[in-house]
Amino acid sequence: MKLALTKGFGTSLIALSFAITLAGCATDAPPPAPPPPPPAPAGPPVALASEISDAAAVYKDYIEKVSVMRGQYADGAAIQAQLASAESFEPNQLAHGAVAYAAIVAMQEPAFRSIMRTYAANDATRADIRAKLIADPAYAAVIPGADAAARRVILALSSDGQSVYKAGAGVKQAAYDIQHEKWSKEFVADRDGRLALAKANSVTLASVQSDDSARLLAAALSGQGLVTSADTGQSTGQSTVQVGLPVQATQQTPINGGTPALIPDAGTAPVPAEASATSAATSVFDRPDLFNQPYTQAVNRALTIAALALLGEGGETNLPTLTSLLDDGDGQRCLQMSKLNLYQCLAVAKPHYEDVFCVGQHVLMDTGQCLGKMSSNALSFAPVTRVGFKADGTSAYADPKPYLKPAPVKKAAKKKVATKKKK
């Protein structure tokens, strides 16, 4: 009995010793990981007043409408319908819309968006940049990433301008083409009435398409969803390929009190405006000076609105500041001048084909040219012409010869006639 107890006790003692040994060999469990650091302050969220997207929507609606206009008419009524549609914009509203749309385009640039959100996170930095932007809209151009945003803006506005200009060139060419139709030479029935309508349509504000405005606002706040393209079909901000300019007919001797006669040059056939002059023209986009600083007032103000919005300072509470930034001045004056030219053209135009000229030149081409000037100080859509030279650079005169001063002609000496004296 004594032996059994001793043996059992020894077995238990061995087991206990083995357990203690194993416990000593075990490693301690790692401590729990520290909690993640709190996120850096992001600053106020991106904000843009809906009035800015409303203005941009009005602009895009007009551009999309007129850029597809063509010079195809069955009668004078079709011409008057196109005239009434194309002339229906108020210059200040369209110029404001162009700047507003350009601001939303600038907000799509990732580099510009990233740096502005970094500035927005610091209250002191945000307040400092806000004050500098409001004091001088040109300050936006020196912000890192602004050059890429400006490139997007310049390509967006210039491609819109070129699309309107090319549509106008096609309509203007139609003024030549339809003259073989007898009805095109008939006089407009109510000339005074259609001039009065043009003036009324030019002071009437266009209504806002709410769906278009909502899509533009969503693109501004998110930085996604707005894709603009130049005529090359490439997205803005990317490299572009060569784009030919349309061949334009020249104006001849004014008729009917001042309207240019719509007669093609002698010995040449009319060339459709849609045709590309790739052999003689260089791309309006493929030129480095297009993006040079100083930027236009429109580009600087668009960058400023975009910067304020990305700082979180572009909401409804700052609407008066944003509205004042829409006034670029140059674009408004250019569009107002195009309206005056339209009124003068309609005042003297009599047959239907002359109204077509007024639409093509002074409604569409002039408007497109204004948008081009708003986009860049180096841009013009008008083809360069040289007086006395053909398109290929050769002289327009047959067998030109240098002028030689002829030798002076000697006059024959007069003979004196002898007279007899009277006695």
Side-chain angles (χ1 to χ4, degrees), residues 316-327:
E316 302 292 340
T317 56
N318 289 326
L319 182 59
T321 298
L322 300 179
T323 302
S324 66
L325 287 168
L326 294 177
D327 288 320

Side-chain angles (χ1 to χ4, degrees), residues 7 51 55 76 78 91 125 133 192 198 217 271 284 293 304 310 316 322 335 340 342 349 352-354 372 375:
K7 186 177 181 180
E51 286 80 359
T125 302
L133 288 169
D192 293 339
L217 183 59
V271 180
V284 293
Q293 295 193 38
T304 299
L310 294 172
E316 302 292 340
L322 300 179
L335 291 171
L340 294 178
L342 171 64
H352 292 297
Y353 71 82
E354 291 186 348
S375 70

Side-chain angles (χ1 to χ4, degrees), residues 25-234:
C25 294
T27 58
D28 294 335
V46 177
L48 185 66
S50 59
E51 286 80 359
I52 302 301
S53 61
D54 287 348
V58 170
Y59 165 79
K60 282 307 292 180
D61 180 62
Y62 179 79
I63 297 300
E64 291 171 359
K65 176 180 70 173
V66 300
S67 62
V68 296
M69 287 186 171
R70 297 293 180 265
Q72 300 171 350
Y73 315 101
D75 50 33
I79 296 173
Q80 295 307 312
Q82 185 185 74
L83 172 62
S85 178
E87 71 193 9
S88 295
F89 72 87
E90 199 277 328
N92 292 331
Q93 186 184 35
L94 190 65
H96 288 174
V99 176
Y101 177 72
I104 297 175
V105 170
M107 294 177 71
Q108 307 301 296
E109 175 53 44
F112 188 56
R113 193 178 185 92
S114 176
I115 194 68
M116 294 310 303
R117 292 307 297 160
T118 301
Y119 294 152
N122 184 284
D123 291 344
T125 302
R126 183 176 68 253
D128 178 62
I129 293 178
R130 179 185 184 277
K132 290 178 178 177
L133 288 169
I134 295 175
D136 181 13
Y139 176 76
V142 303
I143 296 175
D147 56 343
R151 181 181 178 88
R152 286 177 177 259
V153 169
I154 291 169
L155 285 175
L157 290 183
S158 60
S159 61
D160 283 349
Q162 192 194 44
S163 67
V164 176
Y165 186 93
K166 289 177 67 176
V171 171
K172 180 180 175 180
Q173 181 63 51
Y176 299 82
D177 299 337
I178 66 172
Q179 290 186 46
H180 68 278
E181 300 284 350
K182 183 179 179 180
W183 62 265
S184 72
K185 299 178 182 179
E186 297 175 357
F187 282 8
V188 176
D190 184 11
R191 295 175 55 236
D192 293 339
R194 64 102 154 78
L195 176 57
L197 179 62
K199 293 180 178 180
N201 286 336
S202 299
V203 296
T204 302
L205 297 179
S207 58
V208 178
Q209 300 297 323
S210 58
D211 291 345
D212 294 340
S213 178
R215 282 192 291 269
L216 288 168
L217 183 59
L221 298 179
S222 66
Q224 299 175 347
L226 181 63
V227 179
T228 59
S229 299
D231 258 3
T232 58
Q234 299 185 30

Side-chain angles (χ1 to χ4, degrees), residues 390-413:
K390 299 179 182 179
D392 60 1
T394 60
S395 173
Y397 304 102
D399 191 23
K401 295 181 180 180
Y403 175 74
L404 298 177
K405 186 176 181 180
V409 179
K410 294 182 178 181
K411 296 181 179 180

Side-chain angles (χ1 to χ4, degrees), residues 243-260:
V243 180
L245 288 175
V247 177
Q248 303 297 329
T250 57
Q251 298 180 10
Q252 303 299 326
T253 306
I255 60 172
N256 295 336
T259 302

